[in-house]
Amino acid sequence: TMAAIKEKWAYFESQLDKELENVPLLVFIQEKTQNKVHRAHIALGLVAFLFIFVLFGWFDEWVVNFIGFVFPAYMSIKAVQSAGKDDDTQWLTYWIVFGLFTVIEHTINYFFDWFFVIKFFIVLWLQSPVFNGATIFYHAVLAPIWG
């Protein structure tokens, strides 16, 4: 039902907003707007804006690689500086899976025109702290292969 969808979306937004509380630029923008615009909405708006470029093939490879490198690199630095181990594991797993996709993309891209649209969403899922896609992919696909 629509109420269930709205509830899941609200949960997703709240989790994303919580995960983004350590990103200074998003916190700064939220404070400047006097908390009228949440961190999650800023991030989702940026993702939607960048998706337009990918969808129309304007700098699609660059945009996907930008999304795949910038935020994860920032979060990896924060993870190395933190005392806990869980975030280190999450981002190391991300880089393993992202590296695999980057290596195989040059072969797949020749045969599949919409590759960067699909990779756009895969990269977002892999790095999402709400879904932990990289960890799921690693345990479901790569760990059984590597033993």
Side-chain angles (χ1 to χ4, degrees):
T1 66
M2 190 56 115
I5 293 171
K6 285 182 180 180
E7 183 179 322
K8 287 184 185 217
W9 181 255
Y11 174 75
F12 170 75
E13 280 184 341
S14 69
Q15 289 297 108
L16 183 60
D17 204 53
K18 185 178 111 185
E19 293 292 337
L20 296 173
E21 67 188 9
N22 295 324
V23 180
L25 179 61
L26 297 179
V27 172
F28 174 77
I29 294 171
Q30 183 174 353
E31 289 171 355
K32 284 295 183 186
T33 63
Q34 300 169 342
N35 292 327
K36 293 178 183 172
V37 180
H38 296 281
R39 292 177 297 270
H41 295 156
I42 297 165
L44 292 170
L46 179 62
V47 165
F49 175 74
L50 291 174
F51 179 68
I52 292 170
F53 284 87
V54 175
L55 184 63
F56 289 107
W58 303 324
F59 308 106
D60 51 356
E61 183 176 4
W62 186 88
V63 169
V64 172
N65 285 329
F66 178 82
I67 290 172
F69 282 109
V70 174
F71 181 70
Y74 173 78
M75 293 306 291
S76 296
I77 292 168
K78 298 293 276 183
V80 168
Q81 294 172 346
S82 74
K85 180 183 177 254
D86 290 341
D87 53 356
D88 296 4
T89 303
Q90 175 190 352
W91 290 109
L92 181 58
T93 306
Y94 170 81
W95 288 113
I96 292 168
V97 176
F98 182 76
L100 174 69
F101 276 101
T102 302
V103 167
I104 65 172
E105 89 178 25
H106 296 290
T107 304
I108 294 174
N109 189 26
Y110 291 114
F111 301 108
F112 191 57
D113 291 338
W114 288 82
F115 175 75
F116 287 109
V117 172
I118 303 298
K119 185 179 177 186
F120 181 86
F121 289 109
I122 290 172
V123 165
L124 290 176
W125 177 72
L126 290 173
Q127 65 184 252
S128 169
V130 177
F131 298 114
N132 290 319
T135 304
I136 292 169
F137 185 85
Y138 176 81
H139 289 297
V141 178
L142 297 179
I145 293 171
W146 286 336

